Structure formats: C-alpha cells, structure tokens
Amino acid sequence: MSIRRAVALEVDRATVVKLWLERQGLTRPRAHRLTQAAFVDHLERCGALQLDSVNVVDRAHYLTLWSRFGAYQRQTVDRWIYEDRLAYEYWGHEASLLPRSHLPLGRRRMRRFPPSSWANSAWWQHFDTPLASRRRVLRRLRHEGPLESADFERRPDEKPMRDGAWLPKEDKRSLKMLWHTGRIAVRDRRHFRCVYDLAERVLPATPVASTRDYHDSWLLAGLRGNGVASSRHLTHYFTAPNLNAAERRRIIARNLAAKQIVRVRVSDLVGEFFALPEHLDRLDHLPEPEGTTLICPFDSLLWQRQRAADLLDFDYKIEIYVPAAKRRYGYYVLPILHDGRLVGRLDPKLHRDEERLEIRSLHLEPGFTGGARFERGLEATLESLATFLGAKILDLPA
C-alpha cells in the first residue's frame, strides 16, 4: 500500500529539534519544580518513564524526572504512583511507568499476550512456565495478599538450567508472565523490588481499547512525544505494540487518510516525516532551548538512538553491556544537554557510604569548546545532581 501524497509543509532541522525538546520537557531544564500536574503532563507528553534497576547514580525514572525538574522528594513521586495511582507499571518502551489514561491500551496488550511475534522466540521459550506454576502463584496471591518474588522458593523438582543457561525460579517467571497478561499488577515497590497483587486489587476498572486504537498508539503517542518524526524515528520508541514494517506503513496510511497526521518534509534530511496537525500550528512560536542538564541513558529522549544521531549529531551507546576494556567513555555515561544540543558526556558514580558523587570522566563533543556559560551551567547542574542524590562531596576529574 503506497502512502505517498503531496508534502504539506517544509521545516528545517533546527525547528524539528526545538519541537522535539519541547515535547520532551527539555526546552528549559530544571526551570520548573515537579508538581503532581507536571508529573502527569510529562507522562502524557512523553508516553512513559522507563524503569531500570541500574543504580550507579539513581534509578532511571527518578533521574529522568530530575533532568527536567531538578531536586524533588522521591517519596512524593512514589505516592503519586503507588497510592494515588496516577500511573501504573506495564510495558511501554520497555518496563515503564505509564499514565493512567494509557490503561485501556495496556489492557489490549494484556489480552493478546504473548504477541504472535514471540511465539517461536528464544526469549519466550526460555521464560514460559507451565499452567500449574501460574495457578499456584495466583492462589497464593489470592489467599496471602501482596507478595514479592523472594516469597517464592525454587521447587525441589524444578530444573535450574535449560539449554546450558541458568533459569530464574519457575514461580518468579510466572509472576512476570502473569504481569504481562494482566492477571496481576505491581502494587508497590520495596527497595525497588516489585510487590505483586491480583490486578483487580490494584488497577481501576477501564474499557479495553480496540486493536486499531492500540496499533495507532504506536504512531500517535510516538508523535506526541517526538513532534516531527519519520517512521524510522518512531520504531522502538514504544515497543508495545510490536509491529512489523508492513503494519507500520498501513497505520501511517490510515492516519494520513483520516487527517489524524500530516506529512512534513525536513529540509536537510532524507525521507518522509509526519506530525500531529496541532503541533504544526505552533512551529513559529517555539522558544529557543536554553539551559544545561544531564540525560539518563534510559531517558525517552534517547529511546530512538538513530533519531539522536540524525537530529542532534550525537552517537550514543550504553556501555554498561560493553566489557570494561572496550568502553570508550565509561560504564554509566550521561549525555550533557546544553542550550538544545548534546555537547558532551560524563561518567558519574555515587558512593553512597561516603556521600560522594564522583565524576570519573568528562568528554566534550568534537567542535564544541565549552566557554564560561557552559562551565557555569555544568557546575550548577552537577551541584543540583549532588543535592538530589544526598552527596555532600562532589569529586571532579583532575
């Protein structure tokens, strides 16, 4: 099916970047404090906050919010999530915090889990569990109330390995499978460990989105978070729904025909780009990006690495998974956003027992020479981060 039509508007790359940063809440980083309304607005704009267990500096969702709002009370955010239920944990980009308004879309995925593309995948074959295990887990939750994976023991007859690889205990895998299918939900977190309960005790009653709306969310929610974007730039921004290239083309064609989106040409980039009509009305009124902050490796700004390369000339790779001897920049590198550009990267580590934030390395991008304004901005950013982390000592590289 062809989706070629007349181009509606041409914009330059700088304008595309300004709109992108505005949608991501990074036009004026740390200029506004985090309120409940700002928290919900961030989730609605960007679509989700990615969760990740790495704690070299701080958990990913906390650090992503700090990048935009500066220091805040983590307990307040936890209350908004796990008591007020303004967000819920499910699959968005990866495991994520999603706005409550997303729940009907999440329920559609729950009903169709596992996706057909997983049926023969090594991941699914490795982690799928027998029905008896899932029933056992549900029975315990029903009668005992909220439980963590640590509350489940490996059974004596359970094989700890498959195909030469160690497996998590069977009931722990069942917890994750039941979470994917929507039978259970994350009720709370204890020291970042998931506390599970039956879904009907955690999630509010909502309708289930249609398959069409669920598939369209890949495009429409992706454009809400990114502004002007190509299909390539939206691929992997959300990994639910998981669509193939033909499905993505059909979704774009359908939404073009319905005038839900419009085609845009980016003057100095090759390929077709798209936008929501309401975003184009504001292109002439976008503020210039200003200020300095650090970006978490799991920030929604970096979910689509090719987009960062195409629009910001920034080649980024998370080196956590790279052997130490082969790392170029460091273990947990945070890109530096300054006045709307990614101008460098630094490798921090929080030594909690010493209340010390160590900056192990700092690298500026080729062609960027810094200057007094940048130095002041970076200094204020590092001081803000140290305050947020409770570090009394800021240890900079020589």
Side-chain angles (χ1 to χ4, degrees):
M1 177 185 297
S2 173
I3 60 173
R4 298 192 63 82
R5 296 172 185 264
V7 172
L9 180 68
E10 182 168 343
V11 297
D12 58 38
R13 184 168 66 162
T15 301
V16 172
V17 170
K18 284 196 290 186
L19 178 61
W20 182 24
L21 293 177
E22 189 218 39
R23 299 312 302 166
Q24 290 288 317
L26 288 166
T27 301
R28 296 284 190 275
R30 304 196 332 279
H32 305 283
R33 70 185 185 91
L34 181 61
T35 63
Q36 185 181 99
F39 173 70
V40 173
D41 180 65
H42 175 82
L43 290 174
E44 295 285 357
R45 279 173 178 251
C46 299
L49 275 168
Q50 186 176 348
L51 295 163
D52 193 86
S53 61
V54 177
N55 201 25
V56 174
V57 180
D58 204 352
R59 306 296 184 187
H61 62 300
Y62 292 144
L63 193 55
T64 298
L65 291 173
W66 167 83
S67 294
R68 289 151 175 81
F69 301 103
Y72 60 88
Q73 295 297 317
R74 293 169 187 78
Q75 304 95 310
T76 301
V77 171
D78 291 344
R79 186 180 72 248
W80 292 338
I81 299 165
Y82 301 111
E83 295 181 24
D84 300 337
R85 304 293 174 196
L86 301 180
Y88 76 109
E89 291 197 27
Y90 196 56
W91 204 261
H93 171 72
E94 300 289 337
S96 302
L97 291 167
L98 297 140
R100 186 164 55 192
S101 62
H102 179 276
L103 186 52
L105 298 169
R107 289 193 186 280
R108 173 51 56 188
R109 182 181 186 270
M110 294 169 188
R111 287 197 174 187
R112 301 294 292 270
F113 187 85
S116 57
S117 60
W118 286 21
N120 298 314
S121 70
W123 185 92
W124 179 249
Q125 298 300 321
H126 198 64
F127 282 93
D128 194 13
T129 56
L131 183 59
S133 173
R134 300 186 194 192
R135 285 176 172 170
R136 183 167 58 244
V137 168
L138 287 171
R139 184 167 56 249
R140 285 195 58 187
L141 287 169
R142 187 174 296 112
H143 294 296
E144 299 177 38
L147 297 170
E148 302 179 28
S149 64
D151 295 313
F152 295 85
E153 300 293 336
R154 191 181 293 275
R155 297 174 66 80
D157 59 344
E158 186 181 334
K159 295 181 179 179
M161 298 187 69
R162 181 185 296 171
D163 300 328
W166 284 98
L167 287 175
K169 52 194 173 186
E170 187 174 85
D171 288 353
K172 179 178 179 178
R173 286 181 283 138
S174 286
L175 282 168
K176 191 60 69 175
M177 292 302 105
L178 290 165
W179 174 76
H180 276 291
T181 60
R183 299 293 302 279
I184 67 175
V186 176
R187 185 182 190 90
D188 201 355
R189 290 260 181 174
R190 295 177 188 149
H191 306 290
F192 203 66
R193 301 190 305 270
C194 291
V195 180
Y196 294 99
D197 201 353
L198 299 178
E200 57 265 29
R201 297 174 181 167
V202 178
L203 302 177
T206 62
V208 179
S210 67
T211 300
R212 171 178 285 204
D213 286 347
Y214 176 52
H215 286 177
D216 283 354
S217 71
W218 161 77
L219 173 64
L220 301 180
L223 289 176
R224 278 197 299 273
N226 290 278
V228 175
S230 65
S231 176
R232 185 181 187 187
H233 286 177
L234 296 178
T235 303
H236 303 311
Y237 184 77
F238 283 105
T239 55
N242 182 19
L243 304 168
N244 61 39
E247 290 170 325
R248 293 194 295 270
R249 287 194 295 269
R250 286 195 292 270
I251 290 165
I252 290 171
R254 180 169 70 234
N255 281 276
L256 281 170
K259 296 183 170 50
Q260 295 293 316
I261 65 170
V262 293
R263 182 176 279 104
V264 177
R265 173 179 169 79
V266 180
S267 54
D268 48 355
L269 291 177
V270 176
E272 292 185 307
F273 288 75
F274 309 95
L276 300 174
E278 58 266 30
H279 289 171
L280 298 185
D281 295 337
R282 304 176 48 255
L283 292 183
D284 293 333
H285 308 287
L286 293 169
E288 291 293 330
E290 184 178 287
T292 308
T293 197
L294 305 175
I295 303 298
C296 173
F298 304 102
D299 194 296
S300 51
L301 186 75
L302 297 173
W303 285 350
Q304 224 299 333
R305 305 289 167 72
Q306 188 60 50
R307 182 171 173 84
D310 290 345
L311 295 182
L312 295 170
D313 300 315
F314 193 79
D315 183 18
Y316 182 66
K317 180 178 183 178
I318 298 177
E319 296 187 315
I320 292 171
Y321 314 108
V322 175
K326 295 184 178 180
R327 290 181 193 134
R328 183 177 179 187
Y329 297 110
Y331 180 77
Y332 196 73
V333 170
L334 308 186
I336 305 168
L337 180 71
H338 175 70
D339 291 348
R341 295 172 56 196
L342 291 175
V343 300
R345 56 198 95 196
L346 54 80
D347 182 27
K349 179 177 175 59
L350 178 62
H351 301 271
R352 291 174 175 81
D353 56 339
E354 302 173 18
E355 298 181 322
R356 178 170 65 96
L357 175 60
E358 178 190 9
I359 308 302
R360 296 187 286 190
S361 66
L362 170 65
H363 303 269
L364 299 183
E365 289 294 281
F368 180 73
T369 56
R373 175 178 167 78
F374 169 72
E375 291 174 3
R376 288 193 301 270
L378 183 59
E379 180 181 6
T381 297
L382 292 174
E383 290 175 352
S384 173
L385 180 60
T387 298
F388 180 56
L389 298 174
K392 295 179 180 178
I393 301 170
L394 180 58
D395 191 357
L396 301 175

